Amino acid sequence: DIVMTQSPLSLSVAPGQPATISCKSSQSLLYSDGKTYLYWFLQKPGQSPQLLMYEVSSRFSGVPDRFSGSGSGTDFTLRISRVEAEDVGIYHCMQATRFPLTFGQGTRLDIK
Amino acid sequence: DVYLVESGGGLVQPGRSLTLSCRGSGFTFGDYVFSWFRQAPGKGLEWVGFIRNQALGGTSVYAPSVMGRFTFSRDDSNNIAYVEMSGLKIEDTGVYFCSLGGNGDYWGQGTLVSVSS
């Protein structure tokens, strides 16, 4: 199985400041079709996860442009340019390049 | 708007069976793959598997941890997806989510399954 490792596991950010979350995979997530199936989800307190980013850097419908994703191969990053109060929760990365799909441990973001 | 509503969770003894349902609305149900995920209490997310739509053969893929014990099915005429869980283990305890698409595009609110004697 591909192991996904997120860091940090928690971070506290003041409103308006940037935040960066890293996700590393134990194998390259580049698929034979040329795409990289790396996803980011946000699970707000008491809610189910919601898709933020797909295929590394594509924002899902309705996701604000302060969220961006980057990376390739085994190293990926989610950036929030200016954190807002509604961004609190747990961020999960997930790979869908190889079965079984696997998740990182999650990164908890709270507001200072 | 896309809505997914899971039901069927509850308390069940180890070794017993339980079937979860996922009712969808706001989209053409038969056009989509449906995935299942779960989250043990206080833990991270785990992929359980998915069932393809009929155009892709209607076949299923399962996580190794549930293969041979869980079975996905779907009733496209009534917009419902199912997961039949048998031989339940204590480690199957958690909130089960259904999701539209193979990679978690939209999620339901989840239903709690507790496996305990």
Side-chain angles (χ1 to χ4, degrees), chain A residues 60-80:
Chain A
F60 192 59
S61 174
V63 175
D65 61 6
R66 65 178 181 275
F67 289 92
S68 64
S70 63
S72 64
T74 61
D75 289 354
F76 304 93
T77 301
L78 177 71
R79 290 187 176 88
I80 310 173

Side-chain angles (χ1 to χ4, degrees), chain B residues 13-32:
Chain B
Q13 292 178 326
R16 303 301 290 265
S17 300
L18 196 65
T19 297
L20 307 181
S21 302
C22 170
R23 183 179 294 273
S25 61
F27 57 95
T28 304
F29 194 90
D31 287 351
Y32 290 89

Side-chain angles (χ1 to χ4, degrees), chain A residues 5-60:
Chain A
T5 303
Q6 290 181 230
S7 63
L9 297 184
S10 66
L11 72 165
S12 185
V13 180
Q17 294 301 303
T20 300
I21 301 171
S22 170
C23 178
K24 297 183 187 296
S25 58
S26 60
Q27 303 173 32
S28 174
L29 299 186
L30 178 63
Y31 190 57
S32 55
D33 63 1
K35 295 182 179 180
T36 298
Y37 294 97
L38 185 282
Y39 297 76
W40 289 97
F41 298 87
L42 166 59
Q43 188 171 19
K44 296 183 178 181
Q47 296 185 19
S48 55
Q50 59 189 83
L51 179 62
L52 294 176
M53 311 293 297
Y54 62 97
E55 294 173 21
V56 181
S57 58
S58 296
R59 273 187 299 276
F60 192 59

